[in-house]
Amino acid sequence: MDKERRRRYEQYRASVAGPVENTLLDEFGDGELDRAEFLRRATMFGLSASVIGAALEALGHAPLAFAGTERGTAGGRLRVGCIPPPAHGLDPHTYADTGSLVTGNIAGEMLNRTTSTGTLVPELATSWKSNAAATVWTYELRKGVKFQTGQEMTADDVVATFKRLVDPNSGSQALSAYKGVLSPAGVQKVDKDTVAFHLDAPTGGFPFLTSSTTYQAIILPANYQLGTFEKTPQATGAFKLTSYTPGVGATYQPFEGWWGGKPALDGVDLKYFSDDAAVVSALLGNQIDLINEVHVATGRALFNNPNVQIFSAHGATHRLVPMLTDAPPFNDFRVRQAVALSLDRVAIRKRLFNDLADLGNDTPFAPVFPSGVKLPQRHKDIRKARQLMAAAGKSRGFSVDLTTYKAFELPLLAQIIQRSVKEIGIRMNLKILTSTAYYAGSQLGPPKGWGTTPWLNTPINITDWGGRAIPNVYLTASLKSKGVWNASHYSNKRFDSLANSYIGSVSLKDQRKFARQIELLLQHDTPAIYPYFYFQLGGGAKRVRGYHADPQGLVYLSHTSLA
Amino acid sequence: MSTIASPAAGSEARIARRETLRQLLRSPTFLTGAAIVGFWVFCAVFGFAIAPHDPQDQSFTPLLRPGGAHLLGTDNLGRDVFSRVLVGAGDILKVAPLATLLGIAGGTVIGLVTGYFRGLVDNVISRIVDAWLALPVIVIAVTALVALGASTITLIVVIGVVFMPIVSRTVRAAVLGERQLEYVQAARLRGERAPYAMFVEILPNVMGPIIVEATVRLGYAIFTVAGLTFLGFGVQPPSPDWALQISDGYSLLNDTAHQGNYWIVLFPGMAVASLVIGVNLIADGISRALER
């Protein structure tokens, strides 16, 4: 490292960097973080590439390498198969299902983006920075960004978009990420190119919540009219949505005014599928070039096929098996532990994912989260499980219904669980509903209870949970006493306070301290089983270039091309 | 018939029945059908005892090809396909006959009423039945099952109710032929009430078409249960039900590198087909015997 760079680096630390940045740089210097974790957190806290590079060099690491995207030249239209079709309209703040988030996010962009390796890259914001307590985050917006309507993007547009996203009365699905973190009054314009977020509670990982992880956070013009997303192109992305037919498909044309230049593709044709076998056959039959999401259990034909490339993103997407902690038979933690100990997770991972998944350890801290602590892996232990059942006075077992729905590998997992708990005397009856029936009914949320919907009110069920770049939503929505998606009805004051401490921590050391306590507590209480965290997989023809699977299931095509 | 029948007429009916039975037992069509259906009934009852492996045992290597220790291979959860095919008739043989019975009972009542009364009653009920018949069976059944939730009982009730109007048309046609005959007129002149005339006088004389209708309906009921199960609304996992096996396995069919894992789908498919063919052969045999 030359003298001049070191001088600039030290100057940055002394005058520009706040306590958040310096804590991170110290942690990296002390060896608390490895290189990948440092990069992830450095991008989260908004350190510039030059500072990150200087820090790496100062501590004897290889400099940052900027890999160019491998790019084809042919132009051409990319044909994308999307499963399943959007369930509702396309107003971005209402996205809750894969079909709509895929459709909207080909055209839309966020302030920043989470990459397939878990780092953050700038998009419509060029930098972000927090105060020492991680309660105020200030974002500098990219200059010269145009909406597809032709108008220029300013702080007013970002403020209007975020006020809608955090408004409890707007029907926003992004509240799962922002509830208790950000309120409408906290979204403030500083000047034409700067926005500040004044948070309700300290949140170290806040920049992830403005990124593609919150797939509803597409920036729209301040004068956006609800219900017009599919009618008028008005996002900022490389492609504009030019036609949309519900249940059939959508087409996109390149946006000439895109701030990123000219996309390589001549356009995108999106086609909806409702059936795994049909979309797989379409790719094998060269009717489409790319599938947004494939599964080992239902897409075996694609794996080891020489004409197909599989895109994989290590993520936190998982299946949750919550057990109702406030009613028999699962109101005794020993019974819940016994169920967890009856599962042979290694065999399940092999059978359902051909090992393309991480083992779960009954906490939401997926191995992909660096803030988690690796506790000893929970394995099948029938002897111990029987002892626990006996201690709980249930040595003769009991009958119970397990509810889930017919999609992906869920029915297969249900059958494996049913067979596994048979060994400890639990007679499990399976109720495999349609996805509509499974998510039907009211979802009032506390303090009114959890409504009537099966997925929040059945003794034991299996629910699919999307990936997130940080575990905050998993902790707040599915485990905190007042969590809106707390399907276990788990209520533990100590957990609530630990979760708050974890979310408010800025340093990795503190996060790990609280994460360890949370993990130990959750393994003891076992309000839910996390059997595995599977990799987000996509499939494509060999001629697709520059595409990466997204840990949240988005299809990002701005830098994709065809050979 | 019974009240005006002489003892000689009664024995004539008995002789006719015995003759029909004799015809049936000599009919190769009927016997083949009965053998096939009998085989599956036997498997449904004793399958768990004769199957080489526990049909729910997931401990084998998944997706093994047919041959060796697993005659018909193993499925994607590592269960023995042969054992599952053997016991897979259980649920379908419970649901389909009960649904058929319900459909026949309800349809017969509607058919008797519409055929016997004619006039306004016939017009109103028949138009409703016509409208009902215009809707595809599977669509009505799926809608009802989504609304009521899938369980064995609802499945039986839904298929039974969906079949009632279809059965009622056959019964009504048969009743129309009978109601003009003298024995019905005689009963009316005697001042018998309508229910008596319908159920005691007419019903025994239209039993032939009803029995044929019942066997034909049973074939359709098996298809309907299988179809609904395939769509996810019928029999629930982990039942080794044939249609459920097909539903679980068909997405693996495009895996050409592994021969499409055809054995998971082909063998349960052949089993469903053989059961339906067996039932239809029985229906054919009965219908021919009754014609003679």
Side-chain angles (χ1 to χ4, degrees):
Chain A
M1 189 185 204
D2 62 45
K3 256 189 187 161
E4 175 56 21
R5 285 190 80 173
R6 178 176 289 278
R7 191 191 63 76
R8 287 219 304 260
Y9 175 63
E10 294 301 340
Q11 195 184 7
Y12 165 83
R13 292 206 56 168
S15 54
V16 182
V20 172
E21 290 84 352
N22 277 321
T23 306
L24 173 71
L25 293 168
D26 286 341
E27 282 191 323
F28 186 45
D30 295 345
E32 294 263 353
L33 286 72
D34 67 19
R35 182 188 165 97
E37 286 165 17
F38 169 68
L39 286 177
R40 216 168 156 271
R41 294 181 73 79
T43 56
M44 176 173 92
F45 289 126
L47 272 62
S48 70
S50 63
V51 171
I52 296 172
L56 286 172
E57 282 185 60
L59 296 161
H61 284 258
L64 270 184
F66 291 95
T69 306
E70 195 194 347
R71 189 166 169 161
T73 49
R77 297 185 70 84
L78 184 75
R79 301 161 303 168
V80 182
C82 173
I83 175 168
H88 307 288
L90 291 183
D91 279 326
H93 71 289
T94 63
Y95 294 167
D97 62 283
T98 306
S100 53
L101 75 90
V102 166
T103 308
N105 278 286
I106 292 176
E109 293 177 322
M110 287 85 174
L111 291 178
N112 43 9
R113 183 168 293 276
T114 304
T115 66
S116 55
T117 52
T119 55
L120 275 175
V121 292
E123 200 159 89
L124 297 180
T126 49
S127 65
W128 48 91
K129 194 172 178 343
S130 86
N131 64 351
T135 51
V136 180
W137 287 83
T138 311
Y139 283 60
E140 290 295 327
L141 303 183
R142 188 178 292 280
K143 295 187 177 68
V145 172
K146 284 205 159 48
F147 286 109
Q148 289 158 359
T149 52
Q151 66 198 99
E152 197 182 330
M153 181 194 79
T154 68
D156 291 322
D157 302 308
V158 176
V159 168
T161 299
F162 271 88
K163 280 194 187 292
R164 182 168 48 240
L165 287 168
V166 300
D167 178 0
N169 301 315
S170 67
S172 167
Q173 290 294 323
L175 287 174
S176 60
Y178 295 134
K179 189 170 175 268
V181 175
L182 183 61
S183 304
V187 186
Q188 292 172 15
K189 173 184 173 177
V190 177
D191 60 42
K192 181 174 158 289
D193 298 313
T194 316
V195 175
F197 297 99
H198 296 258
L199 307 187
D200 301 341
T203 306
F206 181 74
F208 278 109
L209 300 184
T210 59
S211 78
S212 44
T213 280
T214 309
Y215 39 75
Q216 299 92 350
I218 292 173
I219 303 298
L220 294 167
N223 58 356
Y224 173 75
Q225 299 288 317
L226 291 183
T228 60
F229 191 86
E230 54 264 54
K231 293 177 188 125
T232 320
Q234 47 197 323
T236 57
F239 296 99
K240 45 188 187 181
L241 176 63
T242 46
S243 81
Y244 169 66
T245 313
V248 179
T251 55
Y252 303 80
Q253 300 299 344
F255 170 40
E256 310 76 38
W258 183 44
W259 59 269
K262 186 181 181 301
L265 295 171
D266 293 338
V268 177
D269 297 311
L270 190 67
K271 192 170 182 238
Y272 299 127
F273 289 83
S274 302
D275 183 275
D276 282 314
V279 75
V280 166
S281 299
L283 180 62
L284 294 173
N286 192 29
Q287 289 156 352
I288 53 172
D289 305 305
L290 188 69
I291 302 176
N292 64 319
E293 190 174 334
V294 298
H295 292 269
V296 175
T298 50
R300 274 176 201 273
L302 300 176
F303 296 83
N304 304 321
N305 184 318
N307 302 317
V308 171
Q309 49 178 332
I310 295 292
F311 307 101
S312 166
H314 216 67
T317 314
H318 62 272
R319 309 305 187 206
L320 188 69
V321 187
M323 292 166 277
L324 272 190
T325 55
D326 59 355
F330 295 117
N331 52 352
D332 188 320
F333 73 92
R334 290 168 296 197
V335 176
R336 304 195 294 267
Q337 279 188 9
V339 174
L341 287 169
S342 71
L343 300 182
D344 183 350
R345 294 162 206 243
V346 176
I348 292 174
R349 173 173 70 170
K350 174 79 191 156
R351 205 149 278 196
L352 298 182
F353 296 97
N354 208 9
D355 289 340
L356 291 168
D358 289 319
L359 293 182
N361 212 6
D362 300 338
T363 89
F365 287 92
V368 75
F369 298 136
S371 56
V373 177
K374 197 155 173 53
L375 297 184
Q377 175 62 46
R378 205 167 235 185
H379 285 294
K380 179 173 174 175
D381 188 341
I382 292 297
R383 204 171 60 88
K384 193 169 169 202
R386 285 197 182 125
Q387 284 170 358
L388 286 162
M389 288 287 280
K394 301 251 196 260
S395 49
R396 291 171 60 194
F398 52 83
S399 296
V400 69
D401 287 346
L402 179 141
T403 312
T404 188
Y405 70 99
K406 191 176 160 71
F408 320 116
E409 84 293 356
L410 297 180
L412 296 177
L413 177 61
Q415 293 180 65
I416 292 175
I417 295 178
Q418 191 244 16
R419 181 76 189 175
S420 305
V421 297
K422 202 178 163 197
E423 289 191 64
I424 55 171
I426 299 176
R427 298 168 295 281
M428 197 172 263
N429 178 32
L430 302 186
K431 291 180 126 174
I432 314 280
L433 310 176
T434 60
S435 65
T436 329
Y438 186 66
Y439 291 108
S442 59
Q443 298 185 24
L444 298 172
K448 292 173 188 160
W450 284 273
T452 58
T453 185
W455 83 277
L456 295 178
N457 294 287
T458 39
I460 179 168
N461 65 49
I462 312 176
T463 299
D464 56 321
W465 274 75
R468 302 288 194 282
I470 48 173
N472 297 18
V473 173
Y474 304 145
L475 297 171
T476 54
S478 76
L479 291 165
K480 268 175 78 170
S481 302
K482 297 267 159 65
V484 285
W485 295 334
N486 185 343
S488 312
H489 300 186
Y490 179 54
S491 177
N492 185 321
K493 286 204 172 66
R494 182 154 170 263
F495 173 84
D496 294 350
S497 118
L498 283 171
N500 288 342
S501 306
Y502 168 84
I503 291 166
S505 302
V506 170
S507 77
L508 188 63
K509 204 169 143 192
D510 285 344
Q511 285 191 341
R512 282 187 173 154
K513 183 178 84 189
F514 294 119
R516 182 183 167 75
Q517 295 177 45
I518 290 176
E519 291 182 53
L520 286 169
L521 182 62
L522 287 179
Q523 276 212 338
H524 176 270
D525 287 356
T526 317
I529 297 170
Y530 295 73
Y532 44 73
F533 298 90
Y534 69 86
F535 304 167
Q536 194 75 33
L537 302 174
K542 283 278 189 214
R543 62 195 198 109
V544 176
R545 295 276 190 277
Y547 180 75
H548 300 281
D550 178 272
Q552 279 73 46
L554 275 62
V555 173
Y556 179 62
L557 299 174
S558 302
H559 300 291
T560 300
S561 57
L562 285 167
Chain B
M1 190 177 191
S2 55
T3 45
I4 55 164
S6 63
S11 66
E12 239 171 64
R14 259 201 306 280
I15 291 166
R17 272 202 293 275
R18 206 173 298 149
E19 178 57 20
T20 310
L21 196 64
R22 215 166 52 83
Q23 295 270 3
L24 272 182
L25 293 177
R26 280 190 189 163
S27 151
T29 316
F30 176 83
L31 290 178
T32 313
I36 296 173
V37 174
F39 170 73
W40 286 123
V41 171
F42 175 80
C43 285
V45 179
F46 300 106
F48 281 91
I50 55 171
H53 302 283
D54 175 355
Q56 308 291 11
D57 187 351
Q58 302 172 356
S59 62
F60 307 111
T61 311
L63 300 177
L64 284 178
R65 287 161 208 224
H70 301 280
L71 195 58
L72 303 185
T74 57
D75 71 4
N76 47 350
L77 281 184
R79 296 172 293 200
D80 181 53
V81 174
F82 179 59
S83 305
R84 291 176 69 76
V85 168
L86 270 189
V87 301
D91 283 303
I92 220 165
L93 282 179
K94 253 182 277 171
V95 175
L98 287 173
T100 307
L101 206 64
L102 181 67
I104 290 291
T108 302
V109 173
I110 301 173
L112 280 171
V113 170
T114 49
Y116 182 78
F117 286 110
R118 308 288 315 265
L120 187 65
V121 176
D122 184 25
N123 273 331
V124 172
I125 299 180
S126 290
R127 292 304 81 78
I128 296 172
V129 165
D130 286 345
W132 186 257
L133 287 177
L135 298 168
V137 169
I138 287 278
V139 174
I140 307 176
V142 165
T143 315
L145 284 167
V146 167
L148 301 171
S151 76
T152 310
I153 301 287
T154 37
L155 199 58
I156 292 170
V157 172
V158 165
I159 296 175
V161 171
V162 166
F163 278 0
M164 282 178 193
I166 307 172
V167 175
S168 79
R169 296 300 295 263
T170 311
V171 179
R172 177 178 173 272
V175 172
L176 284 182
E178 293 288 325
R179 74 187 294 275
Q180 305 302 340
L181 297 184
E182 285 171 354
Y183 73 92
V184 181
Q185 307 290 350
R188 275 196 194 141
L189 288 175
R190 280 203 315 277
E192 300 290 2
R193 287 164 168 274
Y196 183 88
M198 283 190 283
F199 291 100
V200 182
E201 298 289 349
I202 299 179
L203 184 58
N205 290 292
V206 293
M207 274 319 276
I210 292 178
I211 290 171
V212 174
E213 179 69 20
T215 42
V216 172
R217 260 327 107 204
L218 179 60
Y220 280 107
I222 292 168
F223 258 144
T224 311
V225 177
L228 287 170
T229 302
F230 177 79
L231 292 173
F233 299 100
V235 181
Q236 296 286 299
S239 162
D241 183 81
W242 296 326
L244 206 54
Q245 291 187 54
I246 297 172
S247 171
D248 279 350
Y250 86 101
S251 65
L252 304 172
L253 272 179
N254 49 23
D255 188 4
T256 43
H258 208 242
Q259 295 175 351
N261 306 296
Y262 68 88
W263 54 93
I264 306 178
V265 171
L266 180 68
F267 298 116
M270 284 168 61
V272 178
S274 72
L275 181 61
V276 174
I277 290 170
V279 170
N280 281 338
L281 288 176
I282 292 179
D284 249 19
I286 293 179
S287 140
R288 270 188 223 162
L290 286 172
E291 274 168 20
R292 283 184 198 168

